[in-house]
Amino acid sequence: MTALWTMPRHRAFLSMVIAAALIAPPSMAQQPSVQRQQELVRLVRQDCGACHGLRLTGGLGPALTPAALASRSVPALAATIIHGRRGTPMPGWQSMLREGEADWIAAWLKEGFPEQ
């Protein structure tokens, strides 16, 4: 009996699946659970909102709206979330977030962050 993955159409399908996984953004590959997503929304709205404004339109820190972040990439935003910004009040959140969670937050900030 021939192994399924050795058949040409199955090999092609498997190749497409592997390629899609390799090029998928980290936020898609590491989706937080629904419960954790709700916790992250609260964290951003309350903790980040303390400096960036409760509507994320700016305050002590800059606005985190899609328009304000248009020139920034998701990886750059995630790095700022994890490591902070030296010389500014922006702290790093690496003690509270995994990198995949920072990617998820950054991707949503680029799209328009959900309400609580």
Side-chain angles (χ1 to χ4, degrees), residues 8-95:
R9 68 181 163 166
H10 290 103
R11 253 186 305 186
F13 176 75
L14 183 59
S15 296
M16 289 186 326
V17 169
I18 291 170
L22 292 174
I23 62 172
S27 59
M28 291 183 69
Q30 301 175 10
Q31 283 288 322
S33 69
V34 172
Q35 179 181 350
R36 184 61 176 155
Q37 289 178 21
Q38 292 170 344
E39 293 168 358
L40 294 173
V41 169
R42 275 193 302 278
L43 175 95
V44 170
R45 289 287 176 189
Q46 293 174 10
D47 293 306
C48 302
C51 289
H52 294 281
L54 294 177
R55 309 259 330 131
L56 305 178
T57 55
L60 173 63
L64 300 178
T65 61
L69 301 174
S71 65
R72 309 230 185 240
S73 69
V74 169
L77 291 171
T80 298
I81 293 166
I82 290 293
H83 302 293
R85 287 193 156 224
R86 210 173 357 177
T88 73
M90 175 65 192
W93 290 85
Q94 68 271 14
S95 64

